[in-house]
Amino acid sequence: MAQKKIALAYSGGLDTSVAVRWLQEQYDAQVVTVTIDLGMVDLEPARQKALRIGAVNAITVDGKAVFYDGYIAPALKAGAVYEDVYPLATALGRPLIARYMVEAARREGAYAVAHGCTGKGNDQVRLDVSVAALAPDLQVIAPIREWGMSREEEIEYGRARNIPVPEGRNSYSTDENLWGRSIETGDLEDPWNEPPEDAFQWTRPVSACPDEPSYIEIAFEQGLPVSIDGEEMDGVALVDHLNRRAGDHGVGRIDHLENRLVGIKSREVYEAPAAVVLHSAHKALEAITLSKEQVRLKTRIAQEYADVVYNGLWFTQHRRDMDAYVDSTQRHVSGTVRVRLLKGSCTVVGRRSPNALYSYELATYDRGDKFDHRAAEGFISIFGLPVRTQSQVQGDE
Ligand code: ARG
């Protein structure tokens, strides 16, 4: 009888490399690895390594365009930033990884999918719940949650089976994709420690940033960026460009004392230059194209949206409903925003839109003022009526 198959999400790192062999031995199964590039992943070396370790098939997927269009773009339009600082790179990537895992499992006839998440993080929740939504019949196996090996034991286990193991200590646990880089553990576990310089790879320290600012003009159409300094780019190229350009100015470093879904407070550091620039530019454009009420409600939805993404509830009707609302708000969010990058800061310095609700004639104190000053008297008399009434009856204490 043919052996059962398991589809394993494979990064090429120690954990998932050891997991290939561990799954074969513990589950008496064949392992198909699936390596997904959502930005920053070198697919071919991972594929070769998986086959060398003993995978029966090593699938690779370039998911960058799908990641931008289907995950980053809706989150950007929604203004989804967890606890006001984290643009959710890792959290947005997980549901797409789950989707590719499920597709691979179906194609290969696997009865289970497996991943390298630990039992303490959010990522296990996001992957398990996403698989449950997409393929309720598939089993999910999380070897690291099960095997109880320390890092040293893992290295021993790997060595004994000729799996290439890393030399020296790994100082951080990291995850990266187009939307950002997440860094945790090591020296960062003491929240009093300033993040050491070696935690960062995408952003320069302020001391090494250019002394001159860089100005960028970002044009948006219906809530999404379409060009940089007049040059049209697709989403992946645009984000990539901004990661580099803003990273060179030290923009995008985030130090977050974060509330995990599993109840732990943890210290997380992020690098997300493009996400920081695009969220602030998008917000600035909304400020000039949306009404006060639209901005107020959208801010509340943004928080809910961020929680939903963070908590792994991507594949839900609730998220789709919020997308429908958000898309409706973006109909007139078109125009151009100018930002200044300088020594770690990203500042919006200009915004304009053909749909701007800002009116010079109404706002100006100079000649050309069209605001009816006399009408203010009647307005204030009605607006202040309840205050005057209450004060007359009850006094002002
Ligand atoms: N705390 C972040 C989140 O929950 C990042 C997780 C990063 N994962 C990792 N393997 N380092 O989205």
Side-chain angles (χ1 to χ4, degrees):
M1 200 190 102
Q3 247 180 325
K4 297 179 297 181
K5 270 190 199 166
I6 299 171
L8 168 70
Y10 184 69
S11 70
L14 175 68
D15 287 341
T16 52
S17 293
V18 166
V20 173
R21 297 295 289 276
W22 189 86
L23 286 167
Q24 290 170 340
E25 292 172 17
Q26 300 293 315
Y27 283 82
D28 189 24
Q30 293 184 325
V31 175
V32 176
T33 59
V34 189
T35 306
I36 301 150
D37 179 15
L38 300 184
M40 322 303 161
V41 175
D42 232 347
L43 290 175
E44 192 48 30
R47 198 181 76 84
Q48 297 291 344
K49 189 171 175 184
L51 293 173
R52 230 176 307 126
I53 293 170
V56 288
N57 191 7
I59 297 171
T60 57
V61 187
D62 176 354
K64 293 195 289 291
V66 176
F67 184 44
Y68 179 83
D69 292 336
Y71 298 75
I72 293 174
L76 174 60
K77 286 189 279 189
V81 177
Y82 185 64
E83 295 182 339
D84 293 332
V85 288
Y86 169 38
L88 295 159
T90 296
L92 284 164
R94 298 308 178 196
L96 180 54
I97 290 172
R99 209 185 97 187
Y100 285 129
M101 297 300 302
V102 167
E103 276 171 25
R106 295 295 192 221
R107 216 168 337 117
E108 295 283 327
Y111 78 101
V113 296
H115 60 69
C117 301
T118 73
K120 290 177 79 165
N122 300 308
D123 289 331
Q124 51 169 348
V125 182
R126 297 166 184 153
L127 288 172
D128 290 16
V129 172
S130 295
V131 171
L134 298 172
D137 56 297
L138 274 183
Q139 209 173 303
V140 183
I141 304 167
I144 296 167
R145 230 164 29 196
E146 287 180 33
W147 69 32
M149 283 191 273
S150 67
R151 192 179 158 83
E152 289 67 37
E153 288 164 340
E154 256 184 71
I155 289 177
E156 264 320 294
Y157 184 99
R159 277 221 180 90
R161 288 160 182 79
N162 274 327
I163 297 170
V165 297
E167 300 303 325
R169 250 207 88 62
N170 224 2
S171 10
Y172 306 103
S173 156
T174 61
D175 175 65
E176 58 187 359
N177 63 41
L178 200 54
W179 204 225
R181 179 163 177 268
S182 307
I183 312 127
E184 49 189 21
T185 71
D187 284 348
L188 302 172
E189 284 181 354
D190 181 347
W192 180 250
N193 285 346
E194 179 173 352
E197 214 32 60
D198 70 353
F200 300 105
Q201 284 184 6
W202 294 13
T203 54
R204 288 190 192 169
V206 166
S207 58
C209 289
D211 290 326
E212 293 304 311
S214 175
Y215 287 87
I216 310 187
E217 287 191 10
I218 307 168
F220 287 82
E221 267 167 38
Q222 304 205 320
L224 288 179
V226 291
S227 73
I228 303 279
D229 294 329
E231 193 189 326
E232 283 186 24
M233 294 183 203
D234 65 45
V236 174
L238 191 143
V239 170
D240 203 45
H241 175 95
L242 285 179
N243 273 333
R244 260 180 264 243
R245 196 139 156 216
D248 283 348
H249 284 272
V251 168
R253 292 188 174 188
I254 296 156
D255 183 350
H256 188 191
L257 204 298
E258 175 173 313
N259 289 294
R260 283 193 192 163
L261 179 56
V262 294
I264 300 169
K265 276 192 193 291
S266 77
R267 205 284 188 87
E268 309 274 332
V269 170
Y270 301 101
E271 293 181 280
V276 164
V277 171
L278 287 172
H279 270 297
S280 54
H282 178 253
K283 196 170 177 184
L285 190 59
E286 288 191 329
I288 200 171
T289 53
L290 298 183
S291 71
K292 173 173 142 185
E293 293 74 18
Q294 284 177 302
V295 172
R296 296 280 197 282
L297 180 59
K298 196 163 174 288
T299 303
R300 280 152 56 185
I301 298 294
Q303 209 177 68
E304 175 68 14
Y305 201 101
D307 285 349
V308 160
V309 171
Y310 189 84
N311 292 342
L313 300 174
W314 183 263
F315 294 113
T316 55
Q317 303 298 335
H318 181 40
R319 196 266 306 165
R320 290 185 191 103
D321 291 346
M322 288 192 286
D323 275 335
Y325 164 76
V326 168
D327 279 340
S328 173
T329 63
Q330 300 299 291
R331 282 169 299 152
H332 302 291
V333 183
S334 302
T336 302
V337 178
R338 188 152 45 99
V339 301
R340 185 191 61 215
L341 309 176
L342 179 63
K343 294 191 180 292
S345 74
C346 163
T347 313
V348 171
V349 294
R351 65 291 272 162
R352 65 168 181 235
S353 164
N355 309 324
L357 302 175
Y358 177 90
S359 156
Y360 175 81
E361 286 80 14
L362 291 178
T364 185
Y365 285 93
D366 292 341
R367 231 180 316 137
D369 180 3
K370 296 260 170 63
F371 186 81
D372 182 353
H373 290 240
R374 295 305 303 273
E377 290 170 18
F379 166 73
I380 295 165
S381 153
I382 303 295
F383 177 72
L385 180 62
V387 177
R388 203 177 310 116
T389 306
Q390 188 161 28
S391 189
Q392 275 162 358
V393 177
Q394 301 173 356
D396 62 359
E397 288 293 312

